[in-house]
Amino acid sequence: MEHFVKFQNVSKVYTMGEVKINALHDASFEIERGEVCVIVGPSGAGKTTLFNLLLGFYAPTEGEIAIDNTPLTADNCRRWQQRVGYVSQSLFLTDGTFAENVALGIAPEEIDRKRVKEVLEMAQLGDFVRSLDKGMDTRVGECGCRLSGGQRQRISITRAILKNPPILILDEATSALDTESERLVQEALEKLMRNRTTLVVAHRLSTIRNADLICVVHEGRIVEQGKHDELVAKNGYYKHLVDMQKF
Ligand code: ADP
Ligand code: MG
């Protein structure tokens, strides 16, 4: 059987001098094209490590990741990364303008400014950027403001929306937002997730409940996987997280 994304017994050990950290151990799961896979689990469980492996930022210590039945390697991971919109917990900003940062990787003269304006609105950054002296042509480093965690996170969301990728990987994409902007940005993200293959670390039960596959990660292991109703019926760790409202 062919699967779009397949993790097979994937482990990742970080080595820091003498210290070894088993961040992910023996992880196996698979998803089909167009499905939404949600990763849940406490801080330090290995969620970001799983995404970094999937993006080919580093290779598994053991096991194999396959995309479209082809093993992910150092040689083919760039092509894969080009198909993915990735919203990470930490954002890299260049010292260019807001427009250039939203359209990262696109030559300044080729930037579709109308589209940049649209995605800034979608990510609830329209008012903020308009309030700057030179609007979207203000250099990020010169705008006289220190961007808040939420603003940085929304810039990272604009990049994913602008790229319009077939695959989305969202790592706690709304964790730094206040409740009001979270609701609005969440709506923009849910629109973006439609008809796309999405892997997402999510905290909202509404997103989690609708997932095609939930992987529950605890101390580096996928301890349970399945759909919401199946996992609730299991009455295990996932059910515990639901009862505690702890995602
Ligand atoms: P999560 O995203 O679920 O919070 P992470 O994947 O970031 O978890 O981390 C899993 C474990 O691996 C943690 O113990 C963390 O401290 C460790 N870890 C993560 N990244 C690194 C790294 N680059 N080097 C060493 N240890 C790391
Ligand atoms: Mg993380």
Side-chain angles (χ1 to χ4, degrees), residues 14-16 21-23 41-50 58 89 171-172:
Y14 293 109
T15 308
M16 302 161 80
I21 298 170
N22 281 299
S43 172
K47 305 180 297 295
T48 298
T49 299
L50 190 154
Y58 37 69
Q89 286 177 289
D171 192 358
E172 318 214 23

mmCIF file of all heavy atoms in Angstrom, residues 14-16 21-23 41-50 58 89 171-172, ligand 1:
data_model
loop_
_atom_site.group_PDB
_atom_site.id
_atom_site.type_symbol
_atom_site.label_atom_id
_atom_site.label_comp_id
_atom_site.label_asym_id
_atom_site.label_seq_id
_atom_site.Cartn_x
_atom_site.Cartn_y
_atom_site.Cartn_z
ATOM 1 N N TYR A 14 19.619 13.082 20.125
ATOM 2 C CA TYR A 14 20.501 14.249 20.099
ATOM 3 C C TYR A 14 21.713 13.920 20.954
ATOM 4 O O TYR A 14 21.569 13.426 22.068
ATOM 5 C CB TYR A 14 19.820 15.478 20.698
ATOM 6 C CG TYR A 14 18.649 16.020 19.910
ATOM 7 C CD1 TYR A 14 17.351 15.885 20.391
ATOM 8 C CD2 TYR A 14 18.848 16.691 18.706
ATOM 9 C CE1 TYR A 14 16.270 16.409 19.693
ATOM 10 C CE2 TYR A 14 17.766 17.214 17.997
ATOM 11 C CZ TYR A 14 16.492 17.070 18.499
ATOM 12 O OH TYR A 14 15.432 17.590 17.815
ATOM 13 N N THR A 15 22.900 14.197 20.418
ATOM 14 C CA THR A 15 24.117 13.954 21.184
ATOM 15 C C THR A 15 24.742 15.299 21.522
ATOM 16 O O THR A 15 25.031 16.098 20.633
ATOM 17 C CB THR A 15 25.107 13.115 20.356
ATOM 18 O OG1 THR A 15 24.406 11.956 19.896
ATOM 19 C CG2 THR A 15 26.289 12.685 21.185
ATOM 20 N N MET A 16 24.865 15.556 22.823
ATOM 21 C CA MET A 16 25.502 16.788 23.263
ATOM 22 C C MET A 16 26.675 16.396 24.144
ATOM 23 O O MET A 16 26.526 16.186 25.335
ATOM 24 C CB MET A 16 24.511 17.647 24.055
ATOM 25 C CG MET A 16 23.262 17.999 23.256
ATOM 26 S SD MET A 16 21.925 18.501 24.332
ATOM 27 C CE MET A 16 22.422 20.193 24.648
ATOM 28 N N ILE A 21 20.171 12.408 24.261
ATOM 29 C CA ILE A 21 18.740 12.599 24.535
ATOM 30 C C ILE A 21 17.926 11.838 23.490
ATOM 31 O O ILE A 21 18.030 12.113 22.294
ATOM 32 C CB ILE A 21 18.369 14.103 24.508
ATOM 33 C CG1 ILE A 21 19.139 14.837 25.604
ATOM 34 C CG2 ILE A 21 16.868 14.293 24.677
ATOM 35 C CD1 ILE A 21 19.059 16.338 25.526
ATOM 36 N N ASN A 22 17.152 10.889 23.956
ATOM 37 C CA ASN A 22 16.263 10.133 23.055
ATOM 38 C C ASN A 22 15.003 10.955 22.822
ATOM 39 O O ASN A 22 13.999 10.762 23.486
ATOM 40 C CB ASN A 22 15.868 8.806 23.704
ATOM 41 C CG ASN A 22 16.981 7.795 23.579
ATOM 42 O OD1 ASN A 22 17.377 7.431 22.477
ATOM 43 N ND2 ASN A 22 17.502 7.374 24.721
ATOM 44 N N ALA A 23 15.044 11.858 21.856
ATOM 45 C CA ALA A 23 13.931 12.785 21.673
ATOM 46 C C ALA A 23 12.734 12.117 21.004
ATOM 47 O O ALA A 23 11.590 12.480 21.260
ATOM 48 C CB ALA A 23 14.384 13.988 20.851
ATOM 49 N N GLY A 41 0.630 16.335 22.660
ATOM 50 C CA GLY A 41 1.523 15.833 23.702
ATOM 51 C C GLY A 41 2.158 16.988 24.432
ATOM 52 O O GLY A 41 2.227 18.096 23.901
ATOM 53 N N PRO A 42 2.629 16.744 25.642
ATOM 54 C CA PRO A 42 3.172 17.832 26.455
ATOM 55 C C PRO A 42 4.484 18.380 25.906
ATOM 56 O O PRO A 42 5.095 17.779 25.023
ATOM 57 C CB PRO A 42 3.399 17.174 27.823
ATOM 58 C CG PRO A 42 3.467 15.720 27.561
ATOM 59 C CD PRO A 42 2.652 15.453 26.349
ATOM 60 N N SER A 43 4.877 19.507 26.443
ATOM 61 C CA SER A 43 6.137 20.138 26.082
ATOM 62 C C SER A 43 7.292 19.165 26.336
ATOM 63 O O SER A 43 7.320 18.477 27.352
ATOM 64 C CB SER A 43 6.270 21.397 26.933
ATOM 65 O OG SER A 43 7.528 21.944 26.763
ATOM 66 N N GLY A 44 8.213 19.083 25.378
ATOM 67 C CA GLY A 44 9.361 18.201 25.517
ATOM 68 C C GLY A 44 9.089 16.776 25.055
ATOM 69 O O GLY A 44 9.979 15.921 25.123
ATOM 70 N N ALA A 45 7.876 16.511 24.565
ATOM 71 C CA ALA A 45 7.504 15.137 24.178
ATOM 72 C C ALA A 45 8.196 14.682 22.895
ATOM 73 O O ALA A 45 8.329 13.485 22.655
ATOM 74 C CB ALA A 45 5.986 15.043 24.016
ATOM 75 N N GLY A 46 8.611 15.641 22.046
ATOM 76 C CA GLY A 46 9.278 15.277 20.798
ATOM 77 C C GLY A 46 8.536 15.727 19.546
ATOM 78 O O GLY A 46 8.876 15.325 18.435
ATOM 79 N N LYS A 47 7.552 16.610 19.697
ATOM 80 C CA LYS A 47 6.717 17.036 18.572
ATOM 81 C C LYS A 47 7.531 17.814 17.525
ATOM 82 O O LYS A 47 7.451 17.538 16.334
ATOM 83 C CB LYS A 47 5.545 17.900 19.077
ATOM 84 C CG LYS A 47 4.695 17.212 20.145
ATOM 85 C CD LYS A 47 3.544 18.071 20.625
ATOM 86 C CE LYS A 47 3.934 19.381 21.318
ATOM 87 N NZ LYS A 47 4.665 19.189 22.610
ATOM 88 N N THR A 48 8.300 18.786 17.988
ATOM 89 C CA THR A 48 9.103 19.580 17.049
ATOM 90 C C THR A 48 10.175 18.720 16.395
ATOM 91 O O THR A 48 10.463 18.854 15.201
ATOM 92 C CB THR A 48 9.720 20.795 17.783
ATOM 93 O OG1 THR A 48 8.655 21.616 18.264
ATOM 94 C CG2 THR A 48 10.601 21.619 16.870
ATOM 95 N N THR A 49 10.743 17.815 17.152
ATOM 96 C CA THR A 49 11.741 16.891 16.595
ATOM 97 C C THR A 49 11.131 16.088 15.447
ATOM 98 O O THR A 49 11.745 15.920 14.389
ATOM 99 C CB THR A 49 12.258 15.943 17.703
ATOM 100 O OG1 THR A 49 12.871 16.732 18.725
ATOM 101 C CG2 THR A 49 13.248 14.935 17.163
ATOM 102 N N LEU A 50 9.906 15.617 15.646
ATOM 103 C CA LEU A 50 9.212 14.853 14.597
ATOM 104 C C LEU A 50 9.075 15.691 13.325
ATOM 105 O O LEU A 50 9.343 15.217 12.215
ATOM 106 C CB LEU A 50 7.849 14.419 15.142
ATOM 107 C CG LEU A 50 7.017 13.414 14.354
ATOM 108 C CD1 LEU A 50 6.086 12.667 15.319
ATOM 109 C CD2 LEU A 50 6.199 14.058 13.274
ATOM 110 N N TYR A 58 17.295 17.273 9.689
ATOM 111 C CA TYR A 58 18.332 16.286 9.990
ATOM 112 C C TYR A 58 17.756 14.901 9.778
ATOM 113 O O TYR A 58 16.539 14.742 9.676
ATOM 114 C CB TYR A 58 18.919 16.463 11.405
ATOM 115 C CG TYR A 58 17.927 16.870 12.477
ATOM 116 C CD1 TYR A 58 16.936 15.985 12.902
ATOM 117 C CD2 TYR A 58 18.002 18.121 13.081
ATOM 118 C CE1 TYR A 58 16.037 16.354 13.891
ATOM 119 C CE2 TYR A 58 17.105 18.503 14.066
ATOM 120 C CZ TYR A 58 16.136 17.610 14.460
ATOM 121 O OH TYR A 58 15.246 17.975 15.431
ATOM 122 N N GLN A 89 7.956 27.357 15.547
ATOM 123 C CA GLN A 89 7.859 28.077 16.815
ATOM 124 C C GLN A 89 8.813 29.258 16.843
ATOM 125 O O GLN A 89 8.591 30.220 17.552
ATOM 126 C CB GLN A 89 8.172 27.130 17.979
ATOM 127 C CG GLN A 89 7.036 26.155 18.260
ATOM 128 C CD GLN A 89 7.406 25.185 19.368
ATOM 129 O OE1 GLN A 89 8.232 24.301 19.174
ATOM 130 N NE2 GLN A 89 6.814 25.345 20.523
ATOM 131 N N ASP A 171 3.692 24.085 13.510
ATOM 132 C CA ASP A 171 4.181 23.712 14.837
ATOM 133 C C ASP A 171 3.733 24.759 15.855
ATOM 134 O O ASP A 171 4.354 25.807 15.977
ATOM 135 C CB ASP A 171 5.701 23.584 14.823
ATOM 136 C CG ASP A 171 6.221 22.917 16.097
ATOM 137 O OD1 ASP A 171 5.407 22.597 16.993
ATOM 138 O OD2 ASP A 171 7.450 22.708 16.191
ATOM 139 N N GLU A 172 2.683 24.470 16.563
ATOM 140 C CA GLU A 172 2.136 25.383 17.574
ATOM 141 C C GLU A 172 1.986 26.782 16.986
ATOM 142 O O GLU A 172 2.408 27.775 17.570
ATOM 143 C CB GLU A 172 3.028 25.401 18.824
ATOM 144 C CG GLU A 172 3.483 23.991 19.192
ATOM 145 C CD GLU A 172 3.618 23.735 20.672
ATOM 146 O OE1 GLU A 172 2.984 24.437 21.467
ATOM 147 O OE2 GLU A 172 4.344 22.793 21.026
HETATM 148 P P1 ADP B 1 8.282 19.397 21.905
HETATM 149 O O1 ADP B 1 8.244 20.096 20.583
HETATM 150 O O2 ADP B 1 7.245 18.313 22.037
HETATM 151 O O3 ADP B 1 8.213 20.344 23.052
HETATM 152 P P2 ADP B 1 11.067 18.793 21.228
HETATM 153 O O4 ADP B 1 11.059 17.925 20.030
HETATM 154 O O5 ADP B 1 11.387 20.217 21.045
HETATM 155 O O6 ADP B 1 9.677 18.612 22.025
HETATM 156 O O7 ADP B 1 12.096 18.190 22.289
HETATM 157 C C1 ADP B 1 12.143 16.817 22.649
HETATM 158 C C2 ADP B 1 13.347 16.581 23.538
HETATM 159 O O8 ADP B 1 14.548 16.771 22.799
HETATM 160 C C3 ADP B 1 13.431 17.522 24.727
HETATM 161 O O9 ADP B 1 13.988 16.821 25.803
HETATM 162 C C4 ADP B 1 14.383 18.605 24.244
HETATM 163 O O10 ADP B 1 15.054 19.194 25.315
HETATM 164 C C5 ADP B 1 15.332 17.823 23.356
HETATM 165 N N1 ADP B 1 15.869 18.622 22.224
HETATM 166 C C6 ADP B 1 15.141 19.260 21.277
HETATM 167 N N2 ADP B 1 15.942 19.848 20.377
HETATM 168 C C7 ADP B 1 17.212 19.574 20.748
HETATM 169 C C8 ADP B 1 18.510 19.881 20.216
HETATM 170 N N3 ADP B 1 18.654 20.590 19.088
HETATM 171 N N4 ADP B 1 19.592 19.417 20.869
HETATM 172 C C9 ADP B 1 19.446 18.687 21.992
HETATM 173 N N5 ADP B 1 18.274 18.346 22.548
HETATM 174 C C10 ADP B 1 17.170 18.776 21.944
#
